[in-house]
Amino acid sequence: MTDTSTRGDGDADGEGRNLNDHPDNTVPNSASEAARQHAYGQQPFVGEQYAWSHWRLPRWSFRPRLLQHLPTYTRSHALKDIGAGITVGVVALPLAMAFAIASGLSPEAGLWTAIIGGLLVAALGGSSVQVGGPAGAFIVIVYGIVEQHGLGALLVSTSCAGVLLFVMGWLRLCSLVRYVPISVVIGFTNGIAVLIAVSQLRDWLGLDIDNMPGDFFAQMLVLANSWHSFNPYAFGLATLCTTGLLLWPTWWATWGTRLTQLQRVTHIPGATRGLYIRSRLPGPIVALVSLTVLAYVFKLPVETIGQRFGSISAQLPTFELPAFSWSSVKQLVLPTITIALLGAVESLLCARVADQLIELPKHDPNQELMAQGMANFTVPFFGGMPVTGTIARTVTNIRAGAVSPVSGIVHSLTLCAIVLVAAPLAQHIPLAVLAGILLYVAWNMGEWREFVRLKHYSAHYRLMLLSTFFVTIVFDLTLAVQLGLVLAFVLFIKRQSDIFQVRITPASDKRLDVHVYGSLFFGAVGKLDALGDWARQCPPGSEVHINTQRMIALDTTGLDNLKDIANTLHKIRRHCTCICCKHSPYRCCNAVAF
């Protein structure tokens, strides 16, 4: 419980929700104005009751952002979206295959996840430019589920996570995702990046390993025992791929400027357009095509997609129901929650990044969660993997000129056309090249500078970040998220209990003034023990005035402790008077007639 009188203008109601930043932006101005007037003591707080009943009984609201763009959609918008969609579709090709292979799945699983999931997210989502598909953040959790429970369990878990995401969006619970501390997010994100890099060492070094275990230490042991099968050709391709991707943006920033200046002097016909097209070429597709041709022409002895998985089918996927049983669902509760939480965090973070990069209406987080839920529920029926918003493809979509969700739909259609037409060619792609792309993704995925900045943050922040990071690597992502959240709760309780203060001042020989500051809750009730010791030192008939005017919150444990103190004082013949005028503590006391 939190009292509104301690907050600034336009803040939350008594249950901690912000009336001016309501998830669906539909709270009337009268409700927020009532909250402001109550905060300044001008009138009873009726806005709290309105917001609480409005949240408890959510109305059905399903408004895809695409429908808002269509009435004003023009030909120029279509041309921009088509160009951006084709660009993102080409970028998504190597990433979708790489994510699926790293997760222990076939390349087709990643490709059709990007096609079907990206189509549903774009058509039904609440963001104008977000692109959905498989993401590197899911590699660790998907690989663990497949290794422990099998592919069928992954499909069931993904569909259940989709239902959970949809319910979260329907109930407008997107704000709960924001309760995950940033230190926990950075910790497990960096841990996932390390695990992705470790999982790619087999193909990066060209080691002859039939099956990679999911445990970190077991992976390192297997890699060490297989060092004798090192393939220098695979190592060279992967290193060249990663190095080229790291240098690609810098190279174009330097040489692109010089070539543009040269064109202004020489006036070569078509050179300006050629430079523009080349500057827009995505680095991953350049690395994929060039290094695949290099390996094929020189017949380098490296393992390819065709050698490990066979040829990629150039046909549409078939609809199949995954094997479902309640016993398997019970075993997948924690992985399902992890997929849903990770998908929600990734998609909403991606949408917030997109809002900062383009001047379009802000995304609707609840609509976005419902779209993510529908995509994750549908994709497993076609053999896919979890779907979420992807920052890399979304940023590429924005930079390519996208202005509406149509670009995401074009991205899916482009990728589908490539799969149906050029799927047989994918069997020649060296796995070392995909490993190099994933190493680049892992490097960009991690917030490595946060480790350097840790010395500037509090011990609580460092503890949560490092513990989540190491537990993600050593154990698994599910346990890391649980540990991070538990640590966040415990440390928050400790901070709030440190803020709570009890000041006891003897006003006279027979009067004791007690001032209470902060939140009196279960984590701070121990500080009231000194009040009983002081009261016993006073002579019988003395008065104890407990002033709670600056107590901003009171829970049932704190109230029960106050009642015990009052009863104790009454038994030893001391009079107790409690002054309480804050709304939240007063409401709690009045409910039990205290």
Side-chain angles (χ1 to χ4, degrees):
M1 269 179 220
T2 306
D3 189 87
T4 56
S5 60
T6 62
R7 296 198 180 101
D9 185 24
D11 261 2
D13 62 5
E15 299 299 328
R17 293 180 302 278
N18 193 317
L19 295 175
N20 290 340
D21 189 24
H22 199 268
D24 61 354
N25 296 323
T26 57
V27 177
N29 292 333
S30 58
S32 58
E33 183 62 25
R36 295 191 187 95
Q37 294 178 359
H38 170 75
Y40 292 101
Q42 297 176 10
Q43 68 174 37
F45 188 48
V46 297
E48 176 183 346
Q49 299 175 0
Y50 173 83
W52 175 241
S53 62
H54 185 69
W55 182 86
R56 291 182 62 185
L57 299 174
R59 293 169 297 180
W60 174 257
S61 177
F62 192 82
R63 299 186 298 271
R65 184 57 55 89
L66 178 63
L67 299 181
Q68 300 180 21
H69 284 273
L70 291 180
T72 59
Y73 202 68
T74 62
R75 182 175 179 272
S76 62
H77 293 161
L79 294 177
K80 292 180 180 179
D81 285 334
I82 292 174
I86 293 175
T87 302
V88 180
V90 173
V91 171
L93 177 66
L95 296 178
M97 292 190 295
F99 292 151
I101 293 173
S103 302
L105 306 175
S106 64
E108 292 96 326
L111 291 171
W112 289 110
T113 298
I115 295 171
I116 300 174
L119 178 65
L120 293 175
V121 170
L124 306 176
S127 175
S128 299
V129 291
Q130 179 159 261
V131 178
F138 284 122
I139 290 177
V140 177
I141 185 66
V142 170
Y143 191 89
I145 294 175
V146 172
E147 185 190 37
Q148 297 178 16
H149 306 284
L151 178 59
L154 171 66
L155 303 181
V156 172
S157 183
T158 304
S159 290
C160 293
V163 174
L164 186 58
L165 282 169
F166 184 87
V167 172
M168 289 175 61
W170 176 54
L171 295 179
R172 302 167 186 166
L173 299 179
C174 69
S175 58
L176 295 180
V177 178
R178 299 179 182 178
Y179 292 162
V180 180
I182 187 63
S183 56
V184 175
V185 175
I186 294 175
F188 74 68
T189 301
N190 286 5
I192 291 172
V194 171
L195 291 177
I196 291 175
V198 171
S199 68
Q200 297 308 302
L201 292 179
R202 172 180 64 167
D203 295 327
W204 181 45
L205 301 174
L207 303 181
D208 186 13
I209 300 175
D210 294 333
N211 185 30
M212 280 287 286
D215 181 70
F216 173 76
F217 293 108
Q219 287 179 342
M220 300 306 294
L221 181 61
V222 170
L223 290 172
N225 294 334
S226 305
W227 185 258
H228 61 277
S229 60
F230 171 73
N231 187 336
Y233 298 99
F235 175 75
L237 280 177
T239 304
L240 185 60
C241 177
T242 305
T243 305
L245 290 174
L246 291 173
L247 298 178
W248 181 261
T250 305
W251 187 85
W252 268 113
T254 303
W255 288 98
T257 303
R258 296 180 181 178
L259 292 174
T260 302
Q261 295 174 351
L262 180 63
Q263 161 60 16
R264 292 174 180 174
V265 177
T266 57
H267 300 288
I268 300 176
T272 301
R273 182 62 179 173
L275 289 174
Y276 176 79
I277 295 175
R278 286 175 175 81
S279 65
R280 295 287 179 173
L281 284 177
I285 197 65
V286 173
L288 182 73
V289 173
S290 59
L291 295 179
T292 300
V293 172
L294 178 66
Y296 182 79
V297 170
F298 291 95
K299 301 186 182 302
L300 299 181
V302 293
E303 189 177 14
T304 63
I305 290 179
Q307 294 174 358
R308 182 178 296 183
F309 300 100
S311 61
I312 297 179
S313 174
Q315 298 178 353
L316 295 174
T318 57
F319 180 88
E320 295 183 5
L321 293 175
F324 179 84
S325 65
W326 283 112
S327 59
S328 62
V329 172
K330 293 178 182 179
Q331 298 176 357
L332 298 172
V333 171
L334 290 180
T336 297
I337 295 176
T338 303
I339 291 176
L341 179 61
L342 191 59
V345 171
E346 288 287 323
S347 62
L348 295 184
L349 285 178
C350 177
R352 292 176 66 181
V353 171
D355 289 341
Q356 298 172 3
L357 296 178
I358 192 168
E359 295 182 359
L360 287 174
K362 302 297 182 181
H363 74 283
D364 181 353
N366 295 301
Q367 180 65 37
E368 189 63 32
L369 287 185
M370 286 191 284
Q372 298 285 342
M374 297 179 71
N376 280 281
F377 178 78
T378 305
V379 164
F381 296 116
F382 299 93
M385 57 187 293
V387 179
T388 188
T390 56
I391 294 180
R393 275 160 275 177
T394 299
V395 172
T396 301
N397 192 34
I398 295 172
R399 292 177 177 173
V403 294
S404 77
V406 175
S407 62
I409 298 175
V410 174
H411 137 268
S412 297
L413 297 178
T414 300
L415 195 55
C416 182
I418 294 175
V419 171
L420 296 178
V421 174
L425 299 178
Q427 63 181 335
H428 302 295
I429 298 176
L431 294 175
V433 176
L434 296 180
I437 293 175
L438 280 181
L439 288 174
Y440 171 73
V441 170
W443 173 257
N444 284 337
M445 181 179 178
E447 297 285 346
W448 312 114
R449 294 181 180 177
E450 293 299 320
F451 290 123
V452 180
R453 299 171 183 168
L454 280 178
K455 59 183 179 181
H456 301 297
Y457 296 107
S458 65
H460 292 173
Y461 182 92
R462 293 196 293 267
L463 177 61
M464 287 192 292
L465 193 154
L466 293 177
S467 60
T468 308
F469 173 72
F470 285 114
V471 171
T472 301
I473 296 175
V474 176
F475 295 98
D476 60 70
L477 178 62
T478 304
L479 180 61
V481 174
Q482 293 173 355
L483 176 63
L485 292 177
V486 170
L487 279 176
F489 296 152
V490 171
L491 295 176
F492 177 78
I493 291 172
K494 184 180 183 304
R495 284 195 299 267
Q496 292 300 311
S497 63
D498 292 340
I499 294 174
F500 178 76
Q501 295 182 5
V502 179
R503 294 183 181 179
I504 304 175
T505 306
S508 63
D509 293 340
K510 290 192 175 184
R511 176 171 173 173
L512 198 64
D513 289 341
V514 181
H515 294 270
V516 180
Y517 303 88
S519 300
L520 179 56
F521 67 113
F522 63 90
V525 292
K527 293 187 176 183
L528 290 177
D529 295 341
L531 175 58
D533 299 335
W534 273 86
R536 288 183 177 89
Q537 298 176 8
C538 298
S542 300
E543 295 182 357
V544 178
H545 288 253
I546 303 177
N547 191 332
T548 63
Q549 289 180 322
R550 296 189 179 181
M551 184 172 64
I552 61 176
L554 177 68
D555 71 348
T556 53
T557 303
L559 176 60
D560 187 68
N561 199 267
L562 281 178
K563 292 170 61 179
D564 290 342
I565 291 177
N567 293 333
T568 302
L569 293 176
H570 178 71
K571 290 178 181 179
I572 61 176
R573 293 184 298 169
R574 274 71 170 175
H575 302 289
C576 179
T577 303
C578 184
I579 304 173
C580 179
C581 69
K582 292 288 184 181
H583 178 74
S584 178
Y586 176 78
R587 183 180 57 179
C588 188
C589 295
N590 189 52
V592 295
F594 176 64

